[in-house]
């Protein structure tokens, strides 16, 4: 029954994937052809939606190490979202092709031999491809061939945490090659996991499946929100206490109107965190859905804040960039939703319903 329901839902919304793909093609063409468009708009949207499957993979490995009701309820959703890793890689391909028009270090004379070797377009592409090759291998073993998943999850989780740090620096922080932050990678990893968890919690509620222990999902959401608050605040405090020009400039570029954007994004994190302290909210699927939507909206704003004002190369962000960012997010959201529904239906046909769903149905 679960497999038939998943397939029927995927068929009902089969238009989402082609509509999203058409929107992505249109956004990509506008980014490439409009005179005042910038590739940062595409980077911000692609980073966000590619991050959902990376965050899902990290959470899936944690589920293998700490199984329970939460993993039985969210596990099928996380597996389906993890299967969208190739889609995220495709969304980032234009970034690899346009590094010369996106990252200022491609046009600069780098001061040391290490910087010249590390910050080079060929090595940037190799690192990204190697990163996704590792993610594909982990996802294949965990989802399609789950034998020895505990040992694999131990090794894979350590590799993902360690290697995600330089990759996050490559994608986002190297937009300003003069600024370095040791905590930035963990900050980005929490954004990835928090976004994936909120997205799949919302998908669980919308699916109509009974949620036997919503309090557990709410408690895990509280943990991820607290971790985000700690890392975002630590990143700011360390930069402020150093009081060095590169760090000051990094935050100054995100002042003015962009200050309001990050405050709204923070409210989309901190307000749910406060509301989840109340048991009536933690145990309400409808409230979990509303708070998950708010968290996801905060992730969209945070992605814009991290990328659009990052640098003046080749020119400061314009209203065109903001419009392209918004449109690309809508297109990628539709594409991700359509792909997720197909992946979930395929996964439901291959695997039996989790024990918790069978107990609830009985």
């Amino acid at each position: 029954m679960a497999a038939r329901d998943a397939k029927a839902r995927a068929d009902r919304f089969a238009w989402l994937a082609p509509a999203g793909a058409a929107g992505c093609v249109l956004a990509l063409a506008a980014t490439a052809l409009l005179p005042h468009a910038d590739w940062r708009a595409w980077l911000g949207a692609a980073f966000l939606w590619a991050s959902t499957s990376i965050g899902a993979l990290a959470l899936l490995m944690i589920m293998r190490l700490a199984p329970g009701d939460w993993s039985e309820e969210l596990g099928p959703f996380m597996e389906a979202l993890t299967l969208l890793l190739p889609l995220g890689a495709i969304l980032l391909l234009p970034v690899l092709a346009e590094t010369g028009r996106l990252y200022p270090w491609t046009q600069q004379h780098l001061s040391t031999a290490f910087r010249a070797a590390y910050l080079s377009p060929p090595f940037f592409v190799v690192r990204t491809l190697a990163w996704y090759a590792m993610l594909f291998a982990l996802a294949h073993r965990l989802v399609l061939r789950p034998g020895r998943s505990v040992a694999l999850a131990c090794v894979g989780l350590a590799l993902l945490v360690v290697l995600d740090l330089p990759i996050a620096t490559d994608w986002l922080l190297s937009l300003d090659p003069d600024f370095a932050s040791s905590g930035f990678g963990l900050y980005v990893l929490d954004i990835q996991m928090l976004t994936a968890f909120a997205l799949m919690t919302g998908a669980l509620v919308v699916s109509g499946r009974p949620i036997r222990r919503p309090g557990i999902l709410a408690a895990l959401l509280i943990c991820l929100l607290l971790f985000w608050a700690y890392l975002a605040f630590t990143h700011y405090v360390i930069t402020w206490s150093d009081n060095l020009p590169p760090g000051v400039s990094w935050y100054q570029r995100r002042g003015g109107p962009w200050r309001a954007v990050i405050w709204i994004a923070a409210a989309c994190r901190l307000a749910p965190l406060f509301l989840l302290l109340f048991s009536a909210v933690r145990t309400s699927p409808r409230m979990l859905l509303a708070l998950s939507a708010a968290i996801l909206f905060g992730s969209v704003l945070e992605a814009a804040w991290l990328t659009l004002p990052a640098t003046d190369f080749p020119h400061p962000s314009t209203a065109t960039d903001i419009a392209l960012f918004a449109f690309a997010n809508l297109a990628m959201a539709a594409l991700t939703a359509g792909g997720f529904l197909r992946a979930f239906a395929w996964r439901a046909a291959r695997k039996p319903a989790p024990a918790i769903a069978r107990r609830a149905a009985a």
Side-chain angles (χ1 to χ4, degrees), residues 17 20-22 24-25 28 39 42-43 45-47 49-51 53-54 83-98 128-129 131-133 135-136 171 332 335-336 339:
C24 287
V25 171
L28 191 61
W39 283 96
W42 181 270
L43 171 65
F47 154 75
W49 293 102
S51 291
S53 52
I54 297 174
L83 291 174
L84 298 187
L85 276 167
L87 178 60
I90 292 172
L91 292 177
L92 286 169
L93 281 178
V95 176
L96 301 183
E98 296 295 338
T128 302
L129 294 179
W131 164 247
Y132 264 100
L135 296 180
F136 291 163
W171 289 350
M332 292 179 193
L335 181 60
T336 301

Side-chain angles (χ1 to χ4, degrees), residues 16-245:
L16 276 173
C24 287
V25 171
L26 184 59
L28 191 61
T31 304
L33 299 177
L34 289 179
H36 297 293
D38 193 275
W39 283 96
R40 280 169 291 178
W42 181 270
L43 171 65
F47 154 75
L48 175 64
W49 293 102
S51 291
T52 58
S53 52
I54 297 174
L57 178 60
L59 290 166
L60 186 60
M61 288 188 284
I62 295 174
M63 288 175 180
R64 296 290 192 265
L65 298 176
D69 285 352
W70 78 289
S71 63
E72 289 194 8
E73 286 189 323
L74 277 184
F77 295 85
M78 290 298 175
E79 289 186 3
L81 187 57
T82 299
L83 291 174
L84 298 187
L85 276 167
L87 178 60
I90 292 172
L91 292 177
L92 286 169
L93 281 178
V95 176
L96 301 183
E98 296 295 338
T99 54
R101 291 198 285 176
L102 183 57
Y103 294 100
W105 45 262
T106 59
Q107 310 295 330
Q108 294 176 350
H109 174 71
L110 301 174
S111 57
T112 66
F114 173 79
R115 286 168 65 88
Y118 189 84
L119 293 178
S120 63
F123 194 30
F124 179 91
V125 172
V126 168
R127 289 196 300 272
T128 302
L129 294 179
W131 164 247
Y132 264 100
M134 186 199 76
L135 296 180
F136 291 163
L138 287 173
H140 180 266
R141 292 292 303 180
L142 286 168
V143 178
L144 304 181
R145 301 178 63 185
R148 298 182 179 178
S149 60
V150 173
L152 181 64
C154 287
V155 177
L157 195 57
L159 287 175
L160 187 143
V161 172
V162 171
L163 297 180
D164 192 54
L165 309 187
I167 292 298
T169 300
D170 283 350
W171 289 350
L172 300 179
L173 205 59
S174 73
L175 288 167
D176 188 343
D178 294 325
F179 177 53
S181 173
S182 58
F184 186 79
L186 286 175
Y187 167 55
V188 170
L189 179 60
D190 186 71
I191 293 174
Q192 294 170 330
M193 295 173 63
L194 177 61
T195 303
F197 193 89
L199 192 61
M200 291 301 95
T201 300
L204 173 61
V205 176
V206 170
S207 72
R209 290 191 175 197
I211 306 176
R212 295 183 68 248
R213 303 289 295 276
I216 293 179
L217 301 182
L220 292 167
L221 200 53
I222 289 175
C223 290
L224 289 170
L225 287 168
L226 285 172
F227 196 38
W228 174 88
Y230 169 76
L231 291 172
F233 181 71
T234 301
H235 182 256
Y236 172 77
V237 166
I238 292 176
T239 304
W240 176 83
S241 61
D242 287 342
N243 197 28
L244 297 176

